[in-house]
Amino acid sequence: LTDAVAEARGTSAKALRRALSPELDAIALRCLAKKATARYSSVDAVLADVDRWLAGEAVLARAPGAWYRLAKFAARHRIGVGLGATAVVALAMSAAVAVVFAIQAREESARAVAARDFMLGLFKRADHEKARGADITARELLESGRKDLLTRLESQPRLQAELLQGIATIQKDMGEYVGADSTYADAARIYGRIGMPREAALARIAEANVAMRMGNIKLAETVLQQAKRVPERLRTDNELNARISEVEGWIAVIRGELERARGLFQSSHEFALKAFSPYHTKTMDALRGRIYTEQRLRNFNGALNLLEQLEGIAARTGGVDAKELASLAVDRAALLQSAGQHAMLLTHVNSAHAKCALDLGPNHADCRELIFRKVGAMLQMGMTARALEDFPSLEAIAEDRKSPELGADASLLILKAESLKGPIDEHSKSFKRVQALATGDGTLSPTMRPKALVTLAEASLRAKSPTVAERWLQEAIAIQRQTGGTTQETMLGATAKMLRGVALLQLGRTTDALESLLAALQDLTKLAGQDHAATQFCALNVALALEASGRNKEALALLEVAEPILRKAMGADAPAYVRASALKGRIERAVKAAPPATIHRSHGSAQTDSSIRDALPTEFFS
């Protein structure tokens, strides 16, 4: 088998040798066998075996092994054997997949049975308690289920974690933030133990969100850092990044870092758009954060445009549930309150709260938030009697330790309302509760302490105790200076300056009072704009100080600007607007009449003649 011979046949010597042997070797060796019985019986038998070789069939000279015959068959029927082999492989793979699915189905069935048994156990427990004459609440049932899960289903930790996460979500939606915090933590711990880092991270993000809602910012930041410690392959997970940025954005808002919050919510929205559709609830949550930040940055038009975009998305989804609608209603209420549009806010909240209470129950977190906004709007408009009708609901919010931040705000609102009814007793429950908030224990947001101090001062002013009020206000203003003056804190600081001016006016120090009030007016004009109701409420107090100083023309000029703005913000029937209109009428009459003798100015002296102090106004606007 030379190269020339192989080349003549269009192949190589090596390939030709491989093609000729071992079949031709076997035929030749059989022809040369020593024993006659081992040789072919005839020449025809030799030719027949050579013909078999030429046809690609198994030759008789070879040992008749199964693999040899299969190889020769496959060589003769390559297409058919190939298709058959593919079919066999596919069948084998299908069988393997079927086995895997069967195993998964058995596991899912076991998990479903365990979940069913767990839920039935909860209901049986409720029936047992009822049979004993005890009423078990949903809150107690969930807490009982959480404790039960921690001691059961040890053999099914994934189901255990899933059920815990489900309980935590229900607790959060009910406003049971303290319980939800512990339940999410348990779920995250179990997910981490069974090697599910993504699920553990999502549970920790939810835990951080709940801690933030409780006002425990340090815990929220600590848990969020734990959530960020995920494997490298998860670092580009858009859903994880969207949810982390969202919670970080809310923490930045609470810390007063509004520009940083704006960037975080923008990032969260972009990640959510990649991870989900524009109509997904997580995408809508990120957009909601952007709305809130623009609102806090006093960009009311921008916030309103984004809110209308969000409401349009919700309407187009067609599947928005009652919770989402209630959440959107809270967003609009908060935006209208920040914009100072109290009449529009009250109209919106009246209908929104009725629907929320019907769909979700009056104790749902969003329904409570709407009640809070409703009472706040009525008090701002001077509708104290109507606000008192909702006091039982507001008191329940204040007493609920599961939502400490909202409860603290409700406590402030209760004290404000009670002080509007009449002089507040410093030993009363509402006063003591706000006084405790004014001490600050670090568990609530940083702004809660100065807010409580300002509320105490306002109550003291209504009780005609300006010296006490000034002490509260000086402390509040000092806190503002220490914390650096973010937008929210500066607004609060401007309010403190305004009320301090009122206190000084009640003390007869008209010059000092006017200085403080004018500084507050300047701050509010810069922060909220001249057309904002808060700015014009301050202008009313400046007018009172100018009236006390005998500068009625200047006071009237301020009131002529304030009246139409307040009329639009509150409506002509609002008692607060009626008071403002009456003040304007009074000063108009004074300007038209002969100029009265100017009241003696104290030039900052704290000591004033009692007759002069009696001539000073004790009314004020807030």
Side-chain angles (χ1 to χ4, degrees), residues 184-450:
Y184 275 128
D186 289 331
R189 174 177 51 78
I190 295 170
Y191 276 132
R193 191 183 72 215
I194 62 177
M196 299 180 72
R198 187 176 190 275
E199 288 71 16
L202 289 171
R204 288 193 180 97
I205 294 167
E207 181 190 356
N209 184 29
V210 169
M212 180 264 299
R213 290 171 181 261
M214 291 165 54
N216 195 337
I217 305 305
K218 290 183 179 179
L219 175 61
E221 290 177 325
T222 300
V223 174
L224 206 57
Q225 287 303 315
Q226 294 173 353
K228 288 182 177 181
R229 299 189 193 115
V230 293
E232 187 65 34
R233 63 186 172 81
L234 295 177
R235 297 287 168 82
T236 57
D237 189 309
N238 288 318
E239 181 182 358
L240 282 179
N241 286 320
R243 296 175 72 173
I244 287 171
S245 295
E246 182 191 353
V247 177
E248 283 185 323
W250 287 115
I251 291 174
V253 166
I254 292 172
R255 291 203 176 280
E257 302 167 356
L258 297 178
E259 288 294 344
R260 179 169 176 267
R262 175 186 268 171
L264 286 166
F265 284 128
Q266 179 69 38
S267 297
S268 177
H269 193 207
E270 290 171 359
F271 282 127
L273 285 170
K274 293 176 184 177
F276 314 107
S277 72
Y279 307 104
H280 195 279
T281 54
K282 295 300 177 186
T283 311
M284 295 168 72
D285 285 343
L287 186 54
R288 184 175 287 112
R290 292 182 62 192
I291 293 167
Y292 185 76
T293 307
E294 296 303 323
Q295 166 190 321
R296 287 284 303 279
L297 288 168
R298 324 307 293 178
N299 180 15
F300 297 120
N301 288 335
L304 188 59
N305 289 337
L306 287 172
L307 179 59
E308 289 172 354
Q309 179 184 337
L310 178 61
E311 290 171 337
I313 289 171
R316 285 194 295 273
T317 60
V320 177
D321 60 14
K323 291 180 182 178
E324 185 62 31
L325 291 174
S327 182
L328 286 172
V330 169
D331 291 341
R332 181 165 282 277
L335 178 53
L336 290 172
Q337 185 178 45
S338 290
Q341 297 299 319
H342 304 296
M344 292 174 62
L345 168 61
L346 187 57
T347 300
H348 164 70
V349 169
N350 277 330
S351 59
H353 178 259
K355 179 170 177 52
C356 182
L358 181 65
D359 292 342
L360 304 176
N363 292 325
H364 189 274
D366 285 337
C367 301
R368 287 181 164 186
E369 181 80 16
L370 290 170
I371 273 285
F372 174 77
R373 304 283 181 184
K374 178 183 177 183
V375 174
M378 288 190 291
L379 293 179
Q380 198 70 48
M381 296 167 70
M383 302 164 65
T384 308
R386 280 185 58 186
L388 292 175
E389 295 173 7
D390 289 303
F391 251 45
S393 299
L394 203 62
E395 187 67 35
I397 297 172
E399 290 292 335
D400 191 351
R401 297 293 178 267
K402 302 295 183 179
S403 304
E405 197 76 21
L406 184 61
D409 281 328
S411 296
L412 303 185
L413 209 55
I414 289 170
L415 181 59
K416 180 181 177 72
E418 290 187 348
S419 69
L420 284 166
K421 278 195 306 179
I424 192 75
D425 181 2
E426 292 190 3
H427 299 288
S428 68
K429 177 182 178 181
S430 59
F431 194 93
K432 289 291 185 183
R433 194 160 50 191
V434 176
Q435 200 170 23
L437 293 172
T439 61
D441 58 5
T443 60
L444 298 174
S445 64
T447 59
M448 185 54 66
R449 188 182 171 203

Side-chain angles (χ1 to χ4, degrees), residues 64-79:
W67 283 110
Y68 169 67
R69 292 181 181 279
L70 180 61
K72 299 303 290 184
F73 180 84
R76 293 198 310 275
H77 305 283
R78 291 181 180 178
I79 296 177

